[in-house]
Amino acid sequence: MLLKLTGLAGTYDTRLLMSYYDNEWRSTDQVPERLVKNNLIDRFDFIDPTLGGDSSRATLIAGLEGDTLQVSVYASRYQLRLFNNFTYFADDPVNGDQTEQVDKRWVTGGGVQYIKDVGSHSTLRVGGDLRYDDVSDANLYNTFARVRSGTVREDSVRWLSVGAFAEVTTRWTDQLRTIVGLRGDHFDYEVDASLAANSGGGDDQHLMPSVALAYQVNDFVEVYANWGEGFHSNDVRGAVISVDPISGDDVPTADVFVEQQGAEVGLRFEGWRGLALTATYFWLESDSELLFVGDSGSTEPSDGSERTGFELGAFWNINSRWTADINAAFVDSHFVGVPSNVDQIPNARDQVIGAGITFVQPLGFTASLRLR
């Protein structure tokens, strides 16, 4: 369900959006390939008919936007129950290894952005954002046919993230412009775990500079180069954990912020008979890669990684009714600091190509054919 209201408040565009989502499903999960090849089960069949789950989300978003000021706030209630079985009967030969994951949380936050001309050639953009996650349940249970048989962990988490940024765009000539920016993020978190040894709290912060350069060659072509630092964040429970809740073994903590830096150089072509083209070469380095562990259904930090590759894109507005597009990425992804025979990143795709054509009828009918 979606309800959206828009209007004017003086010189500001205003919006109010309310949505509600609810879903219940049964999933095939992963299945043994040998059973499919021997025609013992269908490709879309399942081993355990009770795998699946249910989820719901209610969201309220409000905001206003003007020429120089943008403000938004939001609140969301989210719930999830997810039943998985990654190892069948490896751990429990009698009842099986089915687990139930429970997540219940309130998410609130907002953001503000202000834009101002500085002198005759520069524009300053400053702003900030805030998000607070109040997670009452971040739990994991052993189950049999969706009936709980044991508790692996029951946690509650309070996680505050605050960010601020400043960015200056300077147009040096009619063709040349630069963008210089700086962003800072601060995390503050508290974890209450059913296992006291895994409870605790802390805070961390991270600064990220960025630089961009763009040059307009002519009315159709622009070349650009960008560099910047960023991060991906780990589950804050990993920052305070000390004991594995299943084995009882000591485990190392994980960093909340994992530093990343990247760069790209590219070319944009736009404006000739509705055709737009982009071609980009990029490089991205991460201090740690998050890997999915199939045996436990969890993720864990691993070695640092490096990705390089090309991205190509084209969009063609053929006429008032027909449009076509294609996007392609060719990427080399590998771990760094490990032997070459084991440096491949699981599930990192080398090539991804997507294309489509769309027809829009003046009375509102739309048809599209897409390939990926």
Side-chain angles (χ1 to χ4, degrees):
M1 180 184 74
L2 176 67
L3 174 65
K4 184 178 181 181
L5 303 174
T6 59
L8 286 173
T11 60
Y12 291 95
D13 295 322
T14 62
R15 68 184 187 277
L16 178 66
L17 186 146
M18 293 174 284
S19 66
Y20 180 75
Y21 163 87
D22 186 84
N23 190 18
E24 183 176 348
W25 66 92
R26 183 175 64 180
S27 64
T28 61
D29 223 37
Q30 77 285 331
V31 294
E33 185 179 19
R34 63 184 183 277
L35 298 186
V36 178
K37 288 185 173 180
N38 293 329
N39 296 320
L40 297 176
I41 62 172
D42 184 75
R43 168 64 182 84
F44 300 101
D45 209 341
F46 43 77
I47 302 299
D48 184 347
T50 64
L51 300 181
D54 57 82
S55 180
S56 65
R57 178 187 286 113
T59 302
L60 176 65
I61 303 173
L64 58 87
E65 181 175 343
D67 293 334
T68 60
L69 180 66
Q70 300 176 15
V71 180
S72 63
V73 294
Y74 61 86
S76 179
R77 173 61 172 172
Y78 172 73
Q79 299 183 85
L80 168 73
R81 289 196 316 149
L82 182 63
F83 296 90
N84 281 310
N85 189 332
F86 296 98
T87 51
Y88 302 116
F89 292 90
D91 297 326
D92 188 339
V94 178
N95 298 314
D97 302 342
Q98 188 185 92
T99 59
E100 176 191 5
Q101 178 187 341
V102 176
D103 190 323
K104 296 180 181 179
R105 68 177 66 194
W106 278 98
V107 181
T108 54
V112 61
Q113 177 177 287
Y114 178 70
I115 303 173
K116 179 179 176 59
D117 289 333
V118 181
S120 58
H121 301 290
S122 298
T123 301
L124 173 67
R125 185 169 68 98
V126 296
D129 50 71
L130 178 148
R131 170 171 167 161
Y132 180 65
D133 286 62
D134 186 358
V135 186
S136 60
D137 296 274
N139 307 335
L140 185 66
Y141 303 99
N142 294 317
T143 55
F144 174 74
R146 299 198 178 190
V147 177
R148 294 176 185 174
S149 58
T151 300
V152 178
R153 63 187 305 171
E154 291 181 327
D155 304 325
S156 62
V157 180
R158 291 168 297 280
W159 187 352
L160 173 67
S161 61
V162 181
F165 65 87
E167 180 183 272
V168 177
T169 301
T170 303
R171 186 171 288 279
W172 301 95
T173 68
D174 290 341
Q175 292 80 32
L176 178 65
R177 71 181 187 277
T178 59
I179 304 173
V180 179
L182 181 67
R183 179 182 173 92
D185 281 89
H186 175 83
F187 283 0
D188 190 276
Y189 51 89
E190 185 73 29
V191 178
D192 293 325
S194 54
L195 190 60
N198 290 335
S199 298
D203 61 82
D204 203 354
Q205 45 279 322
H206 189 53
L207 278 176
M208 297 160 290
S210 63
V211 179
L213 174 71
Y215 182 79
Q216 187 171 344
V217 180
N218 53 43
D219 291 340
F220 303 110
V221 178
E222 181 178 76
V223 293
Y224 60 90
N226 303 321
W227 172 89
E229 293 187 354
F231 68 88
H232 75 72
S233 59
N234 289 321
D235 188 332
V236 296
R237 291 180 295 175
V240 300
I241 193 172
S242 60
V243 177
D244 187 294
I246 298 178
S247 66
D249 296 335
D250 293 338
V251 293
T253 58
D255 294 329
V256 175
F257 288 104
V258 176
E259 294 187 4
Q260 296 177 313
Q261 59 176 314
E264 65 178 2
V265 293
L267 177 146
R268 283 187 285 261
F269 175 92
E270 187 173 358
W272 181 79
R273 296 186 178 181
L275 181 64
L277 303 172
T278 60
T280 305
Y281 173 80
F282 68 90
W283 161 80
L284 177 66
E285 187 176 82
S286 179
D287 285 353
S288 174
E289 191 80 18
L290 276 180
L291 291 187
F292 177 74
V293 183
D295 287 346
S296 62
S298 62
T299 56
E300 65 180 24
S302 185
D303 297 291
S305 65
E306 184 178 75
R307 287 173 165 83
T308 57
F310 288 95
E311 288 186 350
L312 306 173
F315 179 86
W316 186 19
N317 191 14
I318 303 171
N319 54 42
S320 61
R321 296 190 179 186
W322 290 93
T323 61
D325 66 274
I326 183 170
N327 290 278
F330 307 92
V331 188
D332 176 32
S333 306
H334 59 271
F335 292 116
V336 295
V338 300
S340 59
N341 61 326
V342 292
D343 69 348
Q344 296 301 303
I345 302 174
N347 298 318
R349 300 303 181 194
D350 297 327
Q351 302 174 21
V352 178
I353 300 174
I357 188 167
T358 301
F359 172 79
V360 179
Q361 200 266 351
L363 296 180
F365 173 79
T366 302
S368 180
L369 178 65
R370 301 204 62 81
L371 171 71
R372 179 177 170 87

